[in-house]
Amino acid sequence: MTDTVITPQSLTQDQLSPAALKAQFQHLLEQQKQDFLANVPVPELVYQRSDYMDALMQRLWQHFGFDQHPHLALVAVGGYGRRELHPLSDVDLLLLCQGPLDDHQQQKLSELLTLLWDLKLEVGHSVRTVDECISVGLDDLTVATNLQEARLLCGSERLFNALEQRVHADDFWPSERFYRAKVEEQKARHRRYHDTAYKLEPDLKSSPGGLRDIHTLAWIARRHFGATSLREMSHYGFLTDAEYRELNECQNVLWRIRFALHLELRRYDNRLTFAHQTSVAKLLGYRGEGNRAVEQMMKDFFRTLGRIGELNKMLLQIFDQVIIDNGRPGQIDILSDDFQRQGNAIEARKPALFQARPDTILDMMLHVADDTTIDAISAPTLRQLRTARRRLNHFLCQQQDAREKFMALVRHPNALHKAFSLMHRHGIMSAYLPQWSQIVGQMQFDLFHVYTVDEHTIRLLKHMRLFDDEANRERHPICCDIFPRLARRELLLIAAIFHDIGKGRGGDHSEIGAIEAHDFCLEHGLSRPEANIVSWLVRNHLLMSVTAQRRDIYDPDVITDFAKEVRDEERLDLLVCLTVADINATNPDLWNSWKRTLIAELYYSTQKALRRGLENPPDVRERIRHNQHLAAAMLRKQGHSPRDIELLWQRFKADYFLRHTHKQIAWHSEHLLHHQSDQPLVLVSKKATRGGTEIFVYCQDRPSLFARVVAALDKKNLSVHDAQVMTSKDGHALDTFMVMDQNDEAIPLDRHPRIIEGVAKAIEETGKITIPRRRAPQKLKHFTVKTQVLFLPTKNGRRTLMELVALDTPGLLARVGAVFARQGVSVHAAKITTIGERAEDFFIVTDAQNQALTSEHQAQLKTALEKTLSQAK
């Protein structure tokens, strides 16, 4: 390691100016960056930075004259107290005093802190007496923890020793109380990160398995045993030498990534965001085309978090027995010759059981499924499992006994309760299935997914369990009806395990997974027809979601085509459960009333088609008459004569009655019967429809109408999710827009008047369409989505179907609408789908003569859209 930084002790008075010290810090940073790139061990750099800060604080203590005051002490606390200083770490200081500071001392302290802030240091400071430290510490766990790590920098040793004596006394946070508080603190922290290490933008410090989990172990060991380091913990017998080395190795991995991250950032942060993953991977020496370098770095990172998380849980169990139970074993219940339950943990009854008979690992999981009170593996058994995992020279699925036990687990009614979560957490899924080991920590580079592939899959399985609970019927009505009566639930579980297992290997992950799932089923004793169903589910796991959200499900041909693909009701039932669980496990914020309604409408329409028989298409005229009959009855109750209703409806085309419900028809008609002027009519539904708000527009039709309405809605920060655009026989627009606010919720009633006013005003405007200019969210800057315009084949050829994929920038739909207007394109329906950073929209369009677009017109439209949207990025 180079050693060219001037030591702070040698700095002259002139060199203690902010400008000179800034230059010194910049020189230190540049030197440490060079050392980092030269693979100097990060602990050396971290301790070097801490030592430099120590020396600087001691020099400044003299410079500001604090050394002339014998009853003051400067103390490093927190991470600085541990000597853990990364380039952007907080510098936490405690000025220990015997009594209140006088005016001169306060002035000098202010000057010292101002100087440190001028150096862009994140300084946390407090000024307290020993009594005040103890008083505040007794009420504040964070302060109490920081005081445990206090380290004297300069000043009164007597004062510091008095503080240490009080802090380490038995009555200051007794060991048992401190242990319980730190465990609860860790649980609360983990909950903030959805109790998983496998989020795509993790926090190096606070995510489960992060540095805080190591700190928690050290804090508890220090408080109870007086151990001041991981090495000392191993001396007390709580860590084996191998576990100490592993924990130390894991800490060094995280330190190295954190140091690299801090070299890239300007402001303190420990989140490994998409914006910095590429540059950090490069600093760490990862190489590869595209996202390969980041994938490799993140896999190493997530596996490190997994190892820390496992050691953390194991050691906390041991601490719990020593601190809470005073070493006394809990009640033991014998489960079999090989296993017993102690408290809520399962325990092997024989040493080296898993090494002698690896298939007994699956027996342990079957016991977990049998007994829902078991939610952990005991520490000694976990140690045994960790050893057996490392010594396995084959995957468990290669053993016939293990395959039979795995299938018994998949068929177990409680399989989804805890077993698969524990199997994932403790590496059993990777030990069983070679493909699973490839997706552990597998990144997904978009804003749609929140978790890695393996974590997403486990969450999908866990979400299916909710379908077995009546308490979730309101959120998942169809699945709560279907799932409990599935005859072959194991087919669904296997499909869930394999649905994304092909990701990260190039090619179509659905095709890769379908082939491997088929082979898996046959190897595990399922029949060929069962293997075909599982393979079909994996290959088509996105089919229902795409059809519901990006196709016109009110078109009978769309339902017929989907029903032909599904073929029977068993597949439909399995697919809807897989689809709903998949959406919910992708991102906790994705599932809403809108998606639930779309999936339900597609499900029930397909179910009807299958029961009716695909050779018997629906009678469209009968549906129209049915809607008219129910709507007319509602209108007559409101006092409207059959003649008035008939005269109004004579102006509407049959398509209107086909694509709207009878309640919508009655709502529109009620207002149109009272609307006698030529002014536009804008209605906003008071009750939420499909979780959103319906806006109905009636006015004289013109080519730019769609563009003007969506631009007006965009100005109000509303997102359009669906649009039905049609004209009456006498040339009036009958347009329906399904919208939601920025929180994906229905629009509050108090906003309705302003929305009606804004839309009506936009309809009356002439001239150029004004599209609101809003800055794209910062997170979008790190993603590129190639604009794609695809024209789909149609059966009747009367209209043109168009798919658009683009970066979801603010005002996107308004710009698309403006292009349609300039190109003389009329929109008849639109499905607007946002998937993370991607907009995947579907339009049904015609030309000005209400004909399908010619190939030349399609080419012109495609060019215009690509040009406009590329300029907007």
Side-chain angles (χ1 to χ4, degrees):
M1 181 170 63
T2 55
D3 191 15
T4 58
V5 176
I6 298 175
T7 57
Q9 293 96 329
S10 64
L11 295 176
T12 65
Q13 292 294 103
D14 292 340
Q15 290 174 316
L16 290 175
S17 68
L21 285 175
K22 276 183 185 177
Q24 286 293 316
F25 265 97
Q26 186 60 35
H27 183 53
L28 173 65
L29 181 65
E30 290 170 1
Q31 174 208 297
Q32 289 206 310
K33 185 171 184 177
Q34 293 306 312
D35 289 342
F36 179 85
L37 294 172
N39 291 319
V40 171
V42 169
E44 290 186 31
L45 301 178
V46 168
Y47 297 142
Q48 180 197 47
R49 194 169 188 86
S50 178
D51 292 344
Y52 182 90
M53 187 61 65
D54 287 358
L56 176 64
M57 296 311 304
Q58 290 158 6
R59 179 69 182 87
L60 293 176
W61 185 260
Q62 287 180 320
H63 174 67
F64 287 104
F66 288 107
D67 56 333
Q68 303 302 313
H69 301 277
H71 303 304
L72 295 176
L74 188 62
V75 179
V77 293
Y80 183 27
R82 295 190 301 270
R83 294 182 66 220
E84 295 178 12
L85 278 193
H86 291 258
L88 296 176
S89 291
D90 293 349
V91 178
D92 292 324
L93 298 170
L94 165 65
L95 183 62
L96 202 56
C97 52
Q98 203 161 341
L101 300 183
D102 60 33
D103 291 345
H104 175 72
Q105 291 168 336
Q106 287 182 354
Q107 174 63 31
K108 290 300 178 183
L109 175 60
S110 177
E111 291 174 12
L112 169 63
L113 293 173
T114 299
L115 175 59
L116 296 176
W117 290 328
D118 285 344
L119 298 178
K120 305 300 181 186
L121 295 174
E122 293 288 335
V123 180
H125 75 285
S126 57
V127 181
R128 293 183 181 127
T129 64
V130 171
D131 286 343
E132 287 170 340
C133 286
I134 299 304
S135 176
V136 174
L138 285 171
D139 292 331
D140 191 319
L141 180 62
T142 301
V143 172
T145 306
N146 285 343
L147 289 174
Q148 276 201 120
E149 299 172 315
R151 184 167 57 86
L152 180 65
L153 296 174
C154 41
S156 172
E157 288 187 23
R158 178 190 61 78
L159 208 54
F160 179 72
N161 290 338
L163 175 66
E164 278 211 305
Q165 190 173 1
R166 296 280 298 278
V167 167
H168 296 299
D170 291 340
D171 60 348
F172 180 75
W173 280 92
S175 177
E176 181 176 335
R177 180 186 169 211
F178 185 78
Y179 168 78
R180 291 184 188 277
K182 295 310 282 187
V183 168
E184 188 51 47
E185 180 184 68
Q186 176 172 291
K187 287 178 180 177
R189 173 168 51 80
H190 286 186
R191 283 194 293 271
R192 291 199 299 274
Y193 294 90
H194 302 171
D195 286 307
T196 179
Y198 297 94
K199 295 194 76 174
L200 296 178
E201 294 186 294
D203 190 298
L204 287 159
K205 194 172 180 181
S206 299
S207 287
L211 289 167
R212 270 289 181 253
D213 280 14
I214 299 178
H215 296 158
T216 296
L217 295 175
W219 290 328
I220 293 169
R222 190 181 192 115
R223 186 71 202 150
H224 188 75
F225 310 109
T228 58
S229 65
L230 296 177
R231 168 62 78 181
E232 280 193 36
M233 283 173 63
S234 68
H235 292 166
Y236 281 93
F238 294 103
L239 269 114
T240 65
D241 286 343
E243 288 162 356
Y244 159 70
R245 289 193 298 271
E246 181 177 1
L247 207 50
N248 197 54
E249 175 192 327
C250 290
Q251 177 175 267
N252 287 344
V253 169
L254 295 191
W255 275 16
R256 184 163 175 76
I257 297 173
R258 190 184 188 204
F259 204 93
L261 177 63
H262 281 204
L263 289 175
E264 285 297 301
L265 297 175
R266 292 185 178 182
R267 290 177 176 272
Y268 175 81
D269 198 352
N270 292 302
R271 291 172 302 145
L272 202 50
T273 63
F274 288 131
H276 299 106
Q277 287 171 5
T278 302
S279 56
V280 169
K282 185 177 179 181
L283 268 180
L284 292 170
Y286 290 92
R287 298 290 181 265
E289 294 184 6
N291 292 320
R292 194 66 185 155
V294 173
E295 282 185 349
Q296 289 301 315
M297 175 186 74
M298 296 304 289
K299 279 192 173 184
D300 289 346
F301 169 72
F302 285 124
R303 284 167 179 160
T304 299
L305 292 192
R307 293 162 72 191
I308 292 172
E310 192 170 57
L311 285 166
N312 171 276
K313 282 181 167 44
M314 186 181 76
L315 291 167
L316 286 180
Q317 265 195 53
I318 295 172
F319 289 159
D320 194 278
Q321 289 179 353
V322 173
I323 298 172
I324 305 300
D325 298 329
N326 294 317
R328 295 186 302 272
Q331 179 181 334
I332 293 176
D333 295 310
I334 305 300
L335 302 175
S336 68
D337 288 345
D338 293 326
F339 294 98
Q340 62 191 29
R341 187 187 66 205
Q342 184 176 169
N344 66 344
I346 191 166
E347 192 166 65
R349 300 181 65 199
K350 303 169 186 175
L353 172 67
F354 301 140
Q355 291 182 60
R357 294 157 49 208
D359 59 292
T360 55
I361 295 173
L362 276 301
D363 288 329
M364 178 170 67
M365 291 298 105
L366 283 166
H367 282 302
V368 171
D370 285 337
D371 187 344
T372 57
T373 64
I374 297 173
D375 58 16
I377 301 172
S378 75
T381 303
L382 195 49
R383 275 195 170 122
Q384 187 187 146
L385 175 63
R386 287 163 56 80
T387 301
R389 264 190 350 227
R390 292 189 178 97
R391 295 183 181 176
L392 272 176
N393 56 13
H394 63 276
F395 288 97
L396 289 174
C397 67
Q398 294 168 4
Q399 291 182 229
Q400 180 59 34
D401 287 350
R403 287 201 291 266
E404 291 173 2
K405 291 170 183 177
F406 186 86
M407 287 308 300
L409 181 62
V410 168
R411 292 187 172 107
H412 197 291
N414 287 331
L416 298 177
H417 184 69
K418 289 274 175 59
F420 280 105
S421 296
L422 287 173
M423 288 170 73
H424 174 47
R425 181 187 303 161
H426 296 302
I428 298 171
M429 288 296 289
S430 295
Y432 186 82
L433 194 60
Q435 295 95 329
W436 190 274
S437 65
Q438 293 179 269
I439 61 167
V440 172
Q442 177 64 47
M443 287 291 287
Q444 309 196 69
F445 296 96
D446 56 51
L447 293 176
F448 179 56
H449 292 87
V450 174
Y451 309 107
T452 56
V453 176
D454 53 330
E455 179 66 19
H456 159 69
T457 304
I458 289 297
R459 285 177 176 265
L460 189 159
L461 289 167
K462 289 169 69 175
H463 205 88
M464 282 181 182
R465 181 170 164 263
L466 301 180
F467 302 158
D468 235 348
D469 186 349
E470 276 296 310
N472 299 300
R473 179 169 286 277
E474 183 178 351
R475 183 172 172 83
H476 300 303
I478 295 176
C479 295
C480 284
D481 184 45
I482 294 170
F483 189 77
R485 56 179 171 81
L486 286 176
R488 297 187 284 184
R489 193 182 291 188
E490 66 271 18
L491 303 185
L492 180 59
L493 269 63
I494 296 171
I497 290 170
F498 277 88
H499 84 289
D500 274 354
I501 213 158
K503 285 190 172 179
R505 290 190 264 163
D508 185 336
H509 76 278
S510 299
E511 286 294 331
I512 294 170
I515 294 168
E516 294 182 348
H518 191 272
D519 293 342
F520 176 92
C521 289
L522 296 181
E523 289 166 359
H524 284 71
L526 273 70
S527 67
R528 194 167 293 276
E530 288 174 324
N532 290 340
I533 291 175
V534 173
S535 181
W536 180 87
L537 283 168
V538 174
R539 183 177 287 108
N540 294 284
H541 71 272
L542 297 173
L543 177 64
M544 191 168 209
S545 177
V546 168
T547 304
Q549 296 182 71
R550 291 162 53 190
R551 292 292 180 267
D552 181 12
I553 59 175
Y554 304 108
D555 183 343
D557 289 341
V558 170
I559 299 300
T560 300
D561 289 344
F562 179 74
K564 285 179 179 177
E565 194 71 46
V566 173
R567 293 187 358 208
D568 59 57
E569 283 196 56
E570 183 184 21
R571 291 190 183 204
L572 178 63
D573 288 348
L574 292 168
L575 183 59
V576 73
C577 290
L578 181 60
T579 300
V580 173
D582 191 16
I583 294 172
N584 280 273
T586 296
N587 184 326
D589 300 326
L590 276 181
W591 188 248
N592 54 30
S593 299
W594 170 247
K595 287 186 175 67
R596 182 175 68 231
T597 303
L598 290 178
I599 295 290
E601 289 180 356
L602 177 58
Y603 175 82
Y604 288 121
S605 296
T606 307
Q607 187 185 63
K608 286 179 184 177
L610 291 170
R611 289 180 177 178
R612 185 178 56 240
L614 298 181
E615 70 281 2
N616 299 311
D619 187 336
V620 172
R621 286 173 297 180
E622 182 183 333
R623 189 191 300 179
I624 290 172
R625 286 194 296 270
H626 178 72
N627 283 342
Q628 288 178 330
H629 174 73
L630 294 177
M634 293 178 69
L635 290 168
R636 286 196 300 272
K637 280 186 179 180
Q638 294 164 0
H640 297 285
S641 70
R643 177 62 179 161
D644 289 341
I645 297 169
E646 183 183 355
L647 286 173
L648 174 65
W649 287 358
Q650 284 176 356
R651 296 166 51 205
F652 298 170
K653 299 174 185 176
D655 206 30
Y656 170 83
F657 298 100
L658 180 66
R659 292 178 176 273
H660 292 89
T661 67
H662 69 277
K663 290 182 180 179
Q664 287 176 305
I665 296 167
W667 177 48
H668 300 164
S669 301
E670 163 70 13
H671 289 274
L672 288 170
L673 287 166
H674 290 293
H675 185 73
Q676 302 301 327
S677 71
D678 291 331
Q679 296 299 312
L681 173 66
V682 180
L683 305 177
V684 181
S685 62
K686 292 182 180 179
K687 291 184 178 179
T689 307
R690 304 173 186 164
T693 297
E694 186 179 337
I695 297 177
F696 175 71
V697 173
Y698 171 84
C699 64
Q700 192 69 41
D701 193 27
R702 55 174 168 150
S704 64
L705 181 63
F706 176 82
R708 293 185 188 279
V709 172
V710 296
L713 296 173
D714 190 69
K715 286 178 184 177
K716 302 295 183 184
N717 258 341
L718 302 176
S719 56
V720 177
H721 287 258
D722 190 276
Q724 290 289 344
V725 179
M726 53 188 65
T727 53
S728 64
K729 294 174 183 176
D730 58 353
H732 281 78
L734 300 162
D735 298 350
T736 301
F737 299 86
M738 193 64 63
V739 303
M740 295 185 188
D741 65 13
Q742 56 268 42
N743 299 316
D744 271 352
E745 294 177 353
I747 305 165
L749 289 174
D750 60 350
R751 293 188 62 189
H752 289 193
R754 294 192 298 275
I755 291 166
I756 292 171
E757 181 184 352
V759 172
K761 181 180 177 184
I763 293 170
E764 298 282 15
E765 287 176 350
T766 57
K768 187 177 179 181
I769 300 168
T770 57
I771 299 171
R773 287 280 180 184
R774 293 200 308 276
R775 184 177 297 178
Q778 186 72 24
K779 60 186 178 182
L780 284 183
K781 293 183 178 180
H782 310 292
F783 291 91
T784 56
V785 176
K786 183 182 178 182
T787 300
Q788 300 174 55
V789 179
L790 179 66
F791 295 96
L792 307 176
T794 61
K795 290 187 177 180
N796 55 38
R798 292 196 300 268
R799 291 178 173 179
T800 298
L801 311 184
M802 189 194 89
E803 270 192 340
L804 170 70
V805 176
L807 186 68
D808 184 39
T809 53
L812 173 68
L813 187 58
R815 283 191 292 275
V816 171
V819 172
F820 286 156
R822 290 196 298 270
Q823 292 287 317
V825 171
S826 297
V827 179
H828 294 272
K831 277 285 189 77
I832 311 303
T833 306
T834 303
I835 303 176
E837 72 284 359
R838 293 165 61 90
E840 298 188 359
D841 301 342
F842 171 79
F843 301 92
I844 299 176
V845 297
T846 62
D847 62 16
Q849 285 72 46
N850 206 29
Q851 301 294 315
L853 305 187
T854 64
S855 56
E856 292 80 11
H857 200 167
Q858 289 179 12
Q860 291 171 7
L861 177 60
K862 178 179 179 181
T863 300
L865 284 168
E866 289 174 345
K867 181 180 179 182
T868 299
L869 300 185
S870 63
Q871 291 172 346
K873 291 180 182 177

